[in-house]
């Protein structure tokens, strides 16, 4: 677990640490210009952050905190169940006190509207001499409107109308694709709000799925 603090009064509780999301933690720290980073237990991450911010030129404190005796880390299933329950509460509320909406959207109406963030990048060694590889981490990539790409995926409803503005634009909420029927040209949406779907862009999360059960 990593906590980021800013003297402006912001405390950021980051996502559970895995090697692949180290870059996200670094990006959050830079974007919010945090002043203090507390790293709980993960000493390799602490060393990596020390190395990353050593030459930043700011008075940033990075503190490593040992894990308390007797603390047991949650397993993958527990983490997965927590994610599922959090998404379910978003749509159904605590104790199922909310009733979400389900409706169809024409596939043709979603052409060029669904994007994901991040594309595979080329290492500098593959670039011509004197050129540096473009940062692909924040590059919008169009999503194919297929069952494999969309079913059960969580999508953010962005206020952006231009894909180039996705990373700097707020979102209105979230929806889930529960069914894709190419034969009938329709996609079924689970939404906290009734139709229609806003005419802005949708941002798909490749790693976050929700199976309504």
């Amino acid at each position: 677990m990593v906590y980021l603090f800013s003297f402006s009064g912001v405390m950021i509780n980051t996502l559970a640490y895995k090697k692949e999301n180290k870059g996200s933690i670094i990006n959050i720290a830079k974007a919010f210009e945090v002043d203090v980073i507390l790293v709980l237990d993960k000493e390799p991450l602490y060393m990596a952050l020390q190395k990353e911010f050593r030459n930043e030129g700011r008075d940033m404190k990075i503190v490593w905190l040992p894990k308390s005796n007797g603390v047991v880390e949650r397993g993958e299933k527990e983490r997965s169940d927590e994610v599922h329950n959090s998404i379910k509460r978003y749509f159904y509320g605590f104790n199922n006190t909310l009733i979400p909406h389900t409706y169809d959207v024409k596939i043709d109406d979603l052409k060029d509207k669904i994007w994901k963030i991040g594309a595979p990048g080329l290492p500098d060694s593959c670039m011509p001499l004197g050129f540096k590889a473009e940062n692909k981490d924040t590059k919008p990539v169009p999503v194919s409107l297929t069952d494999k790409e969309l079913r059960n995926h969580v999508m953010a409803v962005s206020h952006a109308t231009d894909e180039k503005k996705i990373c700097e634009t707020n979102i209105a909420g979230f929806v889930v694709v529960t069914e894709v029927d190419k034969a009938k040209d329709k996609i079924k949406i689970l939404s906290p709000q009734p139709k229609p779907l806003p005419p802005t862009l949708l941002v798909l999360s490749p790693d976050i799925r929700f199976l309504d059960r």
Side-chain angles (χ1 to χ4, degrees):
M1 187 65 69
V2 182
Y3 295 92
L4 311 178
F5 296 87
S6 168
F7 286 142
S8 63
V10 176
M11 182 183 80
I12 305 167
N13 181 3
T14 66
L15 64 169
Y17 172 66
K18 295 181 180 178
K19 288 183 180 180
E20 56 267 29
N21 62 32
K22 180 183 71 176
S24 297
I25 294 172
I26 292 172
N27 290 336
I28 292 170
K30 290 181 177 180
F32 285 88
E33 299 183 351
V34 301
D35 303 287
V36 179
I37 301 179
L38 301 182
V39 181
L40 181 61
D41 184 49
K42 304 297 183 182
E43 193 168 1
L45 174 61
Y46 167 74
M47 300 300 295
L49 292 175
Q50 288 272 27
K51 181 179 179 181
E52 176 70 27
F53 291 104
R54 188 173 295 144
N55 300 319
E56 280 290 298
R58 293 195 297 111
D59 186 20
M60 176 189 290
K61 294 182 180 179
I62 304 176
V63 181
W64 178 76
L65 300 174
K67 183 173 62 177
S68 299
N69 292 332
V71 172
V72 178
E73 289 193 25
R74 290 172 297 175
E76 286 298 322
K77 184 180 185 308
E78 292 172 299
R79 293 184 185 277
S80 177
D81 288 345
E82 183 180 357
V83 171
H84 176 272
N85 292 334
S86 295
I87 297 173
K88 185 172 183 178
R89 283 195 297 269
Y90 175 80
F91 290 100
Y92 292 93
F94 287 91
N95 300 319
N96 295 325
T97 53
L98 301 178
I99 301 176
H101 300 265
T102 301
Y103 53 85
D104 294 335
V105 180
K106 289 184 178 180
I107 293 179
D108 282 346
D109 292 343
L110 295 177
K111 284 184 178 178
D112 302 321
K113 286 190 61 178
I114 302 180
W115 300 77
K116 60 184 177 181
I117 304 300
L122 289 174
D124 291 339
S125 58
C126 295
M127 299 296 293
L129 188 64
F131 288 83
K132 191 172 182 179
E134 180 186 356
N135 182 7
K136 302 289 186 178
D137 292 340
T138 57
K139 181 180 177 63
V141 178
V143 176
S144 300
L145 303 183
T146 63
D147 185 82
K148 180 180 178 181
E149 291 286 341
L150 297 178
R151 183 187 288 268
N152 299 327
H153 280 284
V154 176
M155 296 193 297
V157 181
S158 174
H159 284 294
T161 55
D162 182 343
E163 67 273 11
K164 296 178 182 178
K165 300 291 185 180
I166 286 177
C167 288
E168 56 191 67
T169 307
N170 291 335
I171 63 170
F174 299 92
V175 297
V176 174
V177 175
T178 60
E179 183 182 333
V180 178
D181 191 332
K182 294 284 285 187
K184 295 183 179 179
D185 184 39
K186 68 178 184 179
I187 291 175
K188 192 176 292 295
I189 296 288
L190 176 69
S191 170
Q193 295 290 329
K195 61 180 181 181
L197 198 63
T200 49
L201 299 182
L202 300 167
V203 185
L204 178 140
S205 174
D207 301 322
I208 302 179
R209 299 191 182 199
F210 175 69
L211 180 59
D212 195 3
R213 60 178 187 264

